[in-house]
Amino acid sequence: FDGRFHFSQRAGEYLVDAAAIGLLGSGQVRALLVDGTMFFSLDTLASEDRPDLAGKKWLRFDPTILGEEGQLGQTDPNGSIDALRGATGKVEDLGTETIRGERTTHYRVRITPALAVKKAPEDVRELARAAVRPFGSKVIPADVWIDDADRLRKLRFRVGDGSLARPRGSVGFEYFDLGAEVSVESPPPDQVLDFSDILGGSTDAGS
C-alpha cells in the first residue's frame, strides 16, 4: 500500500492493491483511517448486482468487533514505530545507504515485543501490542534506516518461524515527503455502509 499519514492525529489515507490483500476485482482500493476506524472505497465493488450498495461509496469497518486480533496493528505505521522501543542488546551499524535520494545509516536491531509494549506510553500501549502481536516471536530481528537529521526513513521487520501458521517473510515501511500537509476526514454518513449491517447487525467475531 502507499499513502499519507498524520502521526500525531493517527489518521491516514491509503491506496491498497485489491488483489494483493485478497479482495475480488482489480485496481486500487482507497482506504481511510480516522479515529481507529477504517473506511474502504466501494468503487471497485459497486455493480448492478448489488442494490444494497446504491448510493453508498464507503464501507465502514471498526476492527474492534473482531476482538484482539482485529486491532489496527500494522495499518497504523505509528504502531511499528512504537515497536522500536523494544530494541535490546547490541545495535549493528551496517554503514550508509541512499533511500529515496536521502543518505541514511542502516542499523540492525533485535526487538523484544513484551518490552516494546511495556515501554510504550499508556495511551498507545494497546496499539503497540497490536503492532507486535502478528510477529509471533519473542525476539524480532529488524532493520532501521535513519537519515542525517535523525529521522526514521525505512523500517523492516523479519517475521515468522517457518511454520504453516507463521511462514517466514518481512513487513516493511518507507517514510518520505516528511512534513507534508495531511488532512483526513470521515466520509459523509449518507455515503457509508457499515460492516455490521452486512453481518445482519451481529458483532460476533465468529459470524
Side-chain angles (χ1 to χ4, degrees):
F1 63 88
D2 182 70
R4 55 198 182 124
F5 191 79
H6 195 301
F7 285 88
S8 62
Q9 294 182 7
R10 305 189 88 101
E13 179 177 16
Y14 311 98
L15 288 176
V16 186
D17 185 278
I21 60 173
L23 294 177
L24 295 176
S26 59
Q28 293 183 313
V29 176
R30 187 179 173 205
L32 306 178
L33 170 62
V34 184
D35 295 330
T37 298
M38 297 296 301
F39 296 88
F40 297 97
S41 170
L42 293 172
D43 292 344
T44 59
L45 303 178
S47 71
E48 295 179 358
D49 298 328
R50 296 298 305 272
D52 56 318
L53 299 183
K56 303 298 183 182
K57 297 182 178 181
W58 297 90
L59 176 67
R60 179 185 182 276
F61 176 68
D62 181 355
T64 60
I65 69 170
L66 300 181
E68 287 190 353
E69 296 304 318
Q71 295 193 39
L72 290 174
Q74 296 299 328
T75 312
D76 180 343
N78 258 340
S80 297
I81 296 176
D82 291 336
L84 291 177
R85 293 188 175 91
T88 58
K90 181 180 178 180
V91 176
E92 297 180 63
D93 185 336
L94 301 181
T96 60
E97 295 181 23
T98 300
I99 304 294
R100 294 180 181 262
E102 297 288 339
R103 194 180 87 140
T104 69
T105 302
H106 180 185
Y107 299 99
R108 182 159 292 160
V109 301
R110 295 171 68 82
I111 293 173
T112 302
L115 179 61
V117 174
K118 181 179 179 180
K119 294 177 69 174
E122 187 174 353
D123 61 333
V124 299
R125 196 161 293 159
E126 287 306 313
L127 284 170
R129 181 176 287 110
V132 299
R133 183 184 294 113
F135 298 147
S137 175
K138 293 184 178 179
V139 178
I140 306 167
D143 289 87
V144 183
W145 289 259
I146 306 293
D147 69 15
D148 291 340
D150 293 332
R151 298 176 300 185
L152 180 64
R153 288 291 183 160
K154 185 175 179 179
L155 175 62
R156 183 175 66 222
F157 299 106
R158 283 170 283 165
V159 301
D161 55 15
S163 66
L164 184 62
R166 298 188 184 278
R168 288 190 177 92
S170 65
V171 178
F173 296 89
E174 288 189 16
Y175 305 93
F176 54 95
D177 291 342
L178 304 182
E181 184 177 348
V182 176
S183 178
V184 182
E185 298 181 356
S186 300
D190 61 348
Q191 296 181 7
V192 175
L193 174 68
D194 198 280
F195 184 70
S196 63
D197 294 336
I198 297 177
L199 297 180
S202 171
T203 57
D204 178 75
S207 298

